């Protein structure tokens, strides 16, 4: 089963007893906008999970961990339980931000050992435009029991990234827009640039002109030449560990089997004074 499912797939299964649909809409800089949009209209039966209140831990005062630190596994498992998600539940996530926020939940569920989680293609606007039902009624939540089995191999920490520089251990992928990667502009974080050696693949380029996710073949073509083998270890980061997640998903669709997330990402990297910073483009590695 693929990780991205079409609207028709969701429409056909939305009332099945083992399905929980999660609205993940969120706008950076407008922290209440997603919840307000959900309250106004959502897929019938959907529950809401907030990027900053549910899918992230509080920001550390020293800046370590980045702008959206990973939530504690036990805390997140308890939150999932309270909205009716068990280990047997099929979870469908959607947003209206190109799949970025839904992919964060997708990655977190995988990280907690849950395989049956999917991102709905197109998002909420596409759902409405297709004439599918919407509702303002909020589901009565019946708690379930979710037990986490944390997959530590999906994650790398700052010291691992630092120690890997220049060794070829990881293939680094920066998921931000090119001007931020090159250090020409930085509207969010206090320092511009990228981790030395990282290649730039803007996360939104994983979608086609119509806003839907590219096929597995198109994703493979997008990442052609990134690594010598699909078994190479790839570490993906962005600004705060959110928009890296759609690239993690896309790399998996493209056939790469060892893809990890640097969750703290750029905002964590620059919180350590000694970490090196690069600007401009990186030369593509040459085959030896």
């Amino acid at each position: 089963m693929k990780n991205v499912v079409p609207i028709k797939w969701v429409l056909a299964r939305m009332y099945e007893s083992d399905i929980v649909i999660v609205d993940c809409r969120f706008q950076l800089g407008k922290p209440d906008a997603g919840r307000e949009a959900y309250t106004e209209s959502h897929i019938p039966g959907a529950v809401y999970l907030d990027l900053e209140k549910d899918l992230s831990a509080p920001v550390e005062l020293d800046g370590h961990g980045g702008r959206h630190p990973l939530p504690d596994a036990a805390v997140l498992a308890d939150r999932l339980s309270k909205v009716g998600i068990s280990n047997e539940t099929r979870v469908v996530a959607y947003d209206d931000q190109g799949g970025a926020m839904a992919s964060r939940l997708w990655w977190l569920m995988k990280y907690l050992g849950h395989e049956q989680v999917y991102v709905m293609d197109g998002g909420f606007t596409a759902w409405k435009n297709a004439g599918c039902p919407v509702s303002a009624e909020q589901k009565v939540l019946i708690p379930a029991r979710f037990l986490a089995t944390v997959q530590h191999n999906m994650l790398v920490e700052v010291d691992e990234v630092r120690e890997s520089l220049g060794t070829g251990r990881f293939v680094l992928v920066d998921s931000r827009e090119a001007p931020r990667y090159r250090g020409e502009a930085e509207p969010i974080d206090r320092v511009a640039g990228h981790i030395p050696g990282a290649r730039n693949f803007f996360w939104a380029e994983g979608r086609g002109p119509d806003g839907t996710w590219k096929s597995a073949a198109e994703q493979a073509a997008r990442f052609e030449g990134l690594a010598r083998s699909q078994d190479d270890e790839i570490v993906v980061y962005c600004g705060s560990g959110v928009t890296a997640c759609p690239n993690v998903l896309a790399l998996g669709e493209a056939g790469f089997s060892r893809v990890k997330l640097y969750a703290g990402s750029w905002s964590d990297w620059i919180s350590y004074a000694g970490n090196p910073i690069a600007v401009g483009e990186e030369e593509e590695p040459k085959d030896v």
Side-chain angles (χ1 to χ4, degrees):
M1 182 67 191
K2 290 189 175 183
N3 295 303
V4 179
V5 293
I7 285 171
K8 288 182 179 180
W9 189 95
V10 181
L11 185 64
R13 295 163 176 82
M14 59 187 292
Y15 295 114
E16 294 180 3
S17 60
D18 67 332
I19 290 272
V20 172
I21 300 172
V22 183
D23 188 317
C24 300
R25 284 177 287 175
F26 187 89
Q27 292 185 43
L28 293 174
K30 297 181 180 179
D32 296 324
R35 166 76 65 177
E36 290 168 357
Y38 167 79
T39 301
E40 180 181 324
S41 179
H42 52 261
I43 295 177
V47 300
Y48 183 75
L49 290 177
D50 184 278
L51 171 66
E52 294 185 344
K53 295 175 182 176
D54 301 313
L55 307 183
S56 304
V59 176
E60 299 290 337
L61 293 177
D62 57 11
H64 298 333
R67 287 183 279 105
H68 292 109
L70 287 187
D72 177 81
V75 171
L76 179 57
D78 180 65
R79 182 69 183 120
L80 295 172
S81 298
K82 286 178 177 175
V83 299
I85 295 174
S86 74
N87 295 85
E88 288 72 46
T89 302
R90 289 179 292 167
V91 178
V92 178
Y94 72 88
D95 58 34
D96 238 355
Q97 285 73 44
M101 310 304 163
S103 294
R104 168 76 164 205
L105 177 60
W106 169 87
W107 187 90
L108 285 169
M109 297 291 303
K110 296 278 189 178
Y111 177 63
L112 296 186
H114 193 75
E115 287 299 318
Q116 294 193 89
V117 55
Y118 314 103
V119 173
M120 186 183 81
D121 208 357
F124 185 64
T125 295
W127 174 272
K128 287 195 300 182
N129 290 343
C132 298
V134 299
S135 175
E137 183 179 346
Q138 296 195 24
K139 180 180 180 180
V140 176
L141 299 179
I142 301 174
R145 187 164 184 250
F146 184 88
L147 297 176
T149 306
V150 177
Q151 308 297 301
H152 296 286
N153 63 332
M154 291 177 58
L155 191 66
V156 297
E157 302 292 347
V158 61
D159 55 342
E160 295 177 85
V161 177
R162 186 190 301 117
E163 291 164 8
S164 76
L165 297 183
T167 69
R169 177 186 170 190
F170 298 137
V171 177
L172 284 173
V173 170
D174 186 310
S175 304
R176 299 171 299 163
E177 291 184 82
R180 293 181 69 193
Y181 164 81
R182 293 193 296 260
E184 299 166 356
E186 184 44 72
I188 303 175
D189 293 307
R190 60 180 178 78
V191 178
H194 62 265
I195 300 174
R199 300 274 303 284
N200 183 220
F201 290 86
F202 181 37
W203 72 271
E205 292 173 355
R207 293 174 289 132
D210 64 351
T212 61
W213 289 74
K214 292 180 177 178
S215 68
E218 289 171 321
Q219 299 289 9
R222 176 181 167 223
F223 293 113
E224 186 176 4
L226 172 64
R228 290 185 173 88
S229 163
Q230 289 190 322
D231 294 326
D232 284 359
E233 280 193 289
I234 298 174
V235 171
V236 187
Y237 75 92
C238 57
S240 67
V242 177
T243 57
C245 294
N247 260 350
V248 173
L249 190 158
L251 283 158
E253 295 279 296
F256 292 93
S257 59
R258 303 174 71 196
V259 184
K260 302 184 178 185
L261 177 69
Y262 171 25
S265 288
W266 182 247
S267 52
D268 177 60
W269 184 258
I270 61 174
S271 71
Y272 296 91
N275 281 348
I277 293 168
V279 296
E281 297 284 358
E282 296 276 350
E283 288 188 16
E284 292 190 20
K286 296 180 174 63
D287 289 333
V288 179

